[in-house]
Amino acid sequence: MSKVPKKEQVDAEVSFRERVEFAVVWLAVRGMRLFPRGVARSVGKGIATIAFHGLGRLRGVGARNLKLAFPEMPEVERERILRSLYRRLGWLLAEFCLMPGYTPESASRFIRYEGLENYLAARERGKGVLVLTGHLGAWELSSFYHSLMGMPMGMVIRRLDNPLVDEFVNRIRCLHGNRVIHKDDFARGLIASMRAGETVGILMDTNMTPPQGVFVPFFGVQACTASGMARIAGKTGAAVLPGFLLWEESEQKYVLRFGRELEVTHTGDSETDAVTNTAAFTAAIEATIRRYPDQWLWMHRRWKTRPPGEEGIY
């Protein structure tokens, strides 16, 4: 009996519901592309407003996280931050739908670099570059723009539950040379990339569980955090530097900002170093969120995993 080809096997395993979900996503993306960018962003904002009012559970998680991170902040200000975040997510939805039509010239009208010299210097070392990033600003647009400008990179991504949507989304992400490294092939793929002197971006701001995650402070509260970047940096000598695409209201532009290379601690104790460096990387993310609090994805249950004996937060 002949072996079923992988694609055919996947197609056979896709459910009717997943096909319907994919059709909705495909139509939404295609439909958004019919609008000029300004109109598309307004449509995205409208969708986000509906989501803000309609998805009470997510809004509640966001409010809980903001209170945890900024206990001294007036409640009215925390709500303003949450509303602003939803608006920016609506914009990001529009940008993602429009990305396939962007050119270096068109995208550079509303995106600029800052600190690109930091990235280029890190890349010149030849040991690979780990871009420390998170769900902050326009994260989907950041790696896309970098590839559009001739500097493709790898991206560590969790597979979407719907395989058709996953393939569709990744095809857009990788239009200009980017490549996806799935989390289930994390260590091997990342080490190979660093040895080849490549660049890989890692979203390091999501909740994890031990042993992949270690507990480090995040807004003064212990958060289980992926230690893979710290371990790979320690093993390969790769450069680690922050990189975020943030909306600057005064300019009405996105700025893709690369910070200075972060120091990676090497004491000879790999486990201690993993925790120390993970804490330092997390502190760098927190510092950026504090500067742009209405651009981080507060609806994620970031503090879900608790240290032994601690009560749940959500």
Side-chain angles (χ1 to χ4, degrees):
M1 186 175 180
S2 61
K3 189 175 181 180
V4 179
K6 187 176 181 181
K7 185 178 185 306
E8 291 180 19
Q9 188 175 8
V10 169
D11 288 345
E13 293 171 355
V14 173
S15 69
F16 175 75
R17 177 180 175 179
E18 288 170 333
R19 294 181 189 279
V20 171
E21 288 173 349
F22 169 71
V24 171
V25 170
W26 188 91
L27 286 171
V29 171
R30 285 294 192 179
M32 194 74 85
R33 290 183 199 170
L34 298 175
F35 300 119
R37 179 170 174 266
V39 175
R41 279 163 63 90
S42 295
V43 172
K45 176 184 172 182
I47 294 171
T49 301
I50 293 171
F52 177 83
H53 292 289
L55 301 176
R57 180 177 168 276
L58 282 179
R59 190 173 68 250
V61 171
R64 178 74 181 96
N65 284 342
L66 277 162
K67 187 173 183 179
L68 198 66
F70 300 108
E72 74 293 342
M73 184 181 287
E75 185 176 348
V76 65
E77 176 62 11
R78 293 198 295 263
E79 183 171 344
R80 184 202 67 77
I81 288 173
L82 200 55
R83 286 179 178 272
S84 179
L85 167 63
Y86 270 83
R87 179 175 71 250
R88 296 179 194 285
L89 290 175
W91 289 349
L92 179 55
L93 171 65
E95 301 289 5
F96 184 84
C97 294
L98 298 175
M99 283 190 327
Y102 289 162
T103 65
E105 295 73 26
S106 66
S108 293
R109 295 190 192 108
F110 56 89
I111 305 174
R112 70 172 177 86
Y113 277 111
E114 186 175 296
L116 180 60
E117 67 278 6
N118 294 326
Y119 168 74
L120 295 175
R123 191 178 66 174
E124 281 300 306
R125 282 180 45 195
K127 292 187 175 182
V129 180
L130 295 169
V131 178
L132 171 68
T133 191
H135 296 85
L136 178 63
W139 67 88
E140 286 286 1
L141 187 55
S142 61
S143 55
F144 184 87
Y145 180 71
H146 204 45
S147 68
L148 192 61
M149 301 306 287
M151 291 169 277
M153 59 193 295
M155 303 170 290
V156 177
I157 301 292
R158 184 186 72 83
R159 294 180 193 273
L160 298 177
D161 293 335
N162 186 319
L164 296 177
V165 176
D166 184 68
E167 182 184 358
F168 178 66
V169 167
N170 286 334
R171 196 158 57 241
I172 294 175
R173 287 168 170 161
C174 300
L175 279 172
H176 299 283
N178 283 344
R179 65 188 185 88
V180 167
I181 300 173
H182 287 110
K183 284 191 174 181
D184 49 16
D185 190 32
F186 177 84
R188 184 173 55 185
L190 214 48
I191 290 174
S193 294
M194 294 305 98
R195 286 177 175 166
E198 297 172 349
T199 300
V200 176
I202 300 179
L203 296 154
M204 216 190 90
D205 60 346
T206 57
N207 180 71
M208 296 293 289
T209 56
Q212 290 82 10
V214 296
F215 285 98
V216 298
F218 185 54
F219 285 92
V221 181
Q222 291 294 305
C224 195
T225 306
S227 61
M229 175 181 275
R231 297 180 191 280
I232 297 298
K235 186 178 183 68
T236 64
V240 178
L241 69 160
F244 301 97
L245 184 65
L246 299 157
W247 178 256
E248 292 293 348
E249 200 69 39
S250 61
E251 299 181 49
Q252 293 293 292
K253 279 187 174 184
Y254 290 107
V255 177
L256 180 50
R257 185 174 289 116
F258 287 106
R260 294 179 182 232
E261 184 178 340
L262 299 177
E263 183 179 351
V264 178
T265 298
H266 297 275
T267 66
D269 185 330
S270 60
E271 287 304 312
T272 299
D273 289 348
V275 175
T276 299
N277 290 319
T278 299
F281 300 164
T282 301
I285 294 175
E286 179 183 328
T288 308
I289 295 172
R290 287 185 179 276
R291 288 183 60 196
Y292 301 88
D294 62 344
Q295 298 195 40
W296 188 60
L297 193 66
W298 291 102
M299 293 85 74
H300 170 65
R301 292 189 293 173
R302 180 64 184 91
W303 290 275
K304 179 182 177 182
T305 302
R306 308 309 311 136
E310 275 200 21
E311 189 176 334
I313 287 175
Y314 306 105

